[in-house]
Amino acid sequence: QVQLAESGGGWVQAGGSVRLSCTASGRTLNYYSIGWFRQAPGKQRNFIAAINPSGDTKYDPAFAEGRFTIAKDNANNTVSLEMSTLKPEDTAVYSCAAKIGGYIANTVGYRFWGQGTQVTVSS
């Protein structure tokens, strides 16, 4: 089965940018869709975006304004989430997850999850 590890989180000032990486091991991502999610303190986990094995992407409408970009690097078995113009309300634990086949634009159906990485945006 595939194992996922997120990296790239940390502290950033409002208006800044962060690039998160989701690195897969154990399996190639050629057969998996990868989704990015976030969970703020005291709130439910929300779907951000997903990318399927073909490279097609889907964004939740709340994240489709251009500040978040998901991309896939097949050579490194990695999916990234580029975030720009960050706001304090973007503070959350960001997680990636994998499912075989096509993507789903919600948290259900993703079987394999990483541990998450904290992103804190200071004002």
Side-chain angles (χ1 to χ4, degrees):
Q1 64 184 32
V2 65
Q3 293 88 41
L4 304 176
E6 302 92 342
S7 61
W11 287 83
V12 61
Q13 285 191 328
S17 299
V18 167
R19 183 176 184 271
L20 305 180
S21 293
C22 175
T23 302
S25 60
R27 291 286 189 273
T28 174
L29 290 180
N30 289 347
Y31 305 104
Y32 291 86
S33 288
I34 299 295
W36 276 101
F37 307 82
R38 76 180 188 185
Q39 187 168 21
K43 297 186 177 181
Q44 66 179 15
R45 180 181 284 164
N46 291 324
F47 169 79
I48 299 171
I51 188 165
N52 69 10
S54 299
D56 301 319
T57 60
K58 184 173 182 63
Y59 294 83
D60 183 274
F63 301 97
E65 76 275 27
R67 294 196 302 123
F68 294 76
T69 302
I70 190 171
K72 190 176 180 183
D73 181 349
N74 288 322
N76 292 304
N77 224 28
T78 298
V79 172
S80 63
L81 182 69
E82 190 84 34
M83 306 186 293
S84 63
T85 319
L86 286 164
K87 307 172 184 178
E89 51 265 41
D90 293 318
T91 295
V93 174
Y94 288 75
S95 301
C96 63
K99 66 176 295 293
I100 294 174
Y103 48 54
I104 299 175
N106 57 52
T107 61
V108 177
Y110 287 87
R111 180 179 176 186
F112 307 101
W113 289 81
Q115 292 297 312
T117 185
Q118 175 72 43
V119 174
T120 303
V121 184
S122 60
S123 57

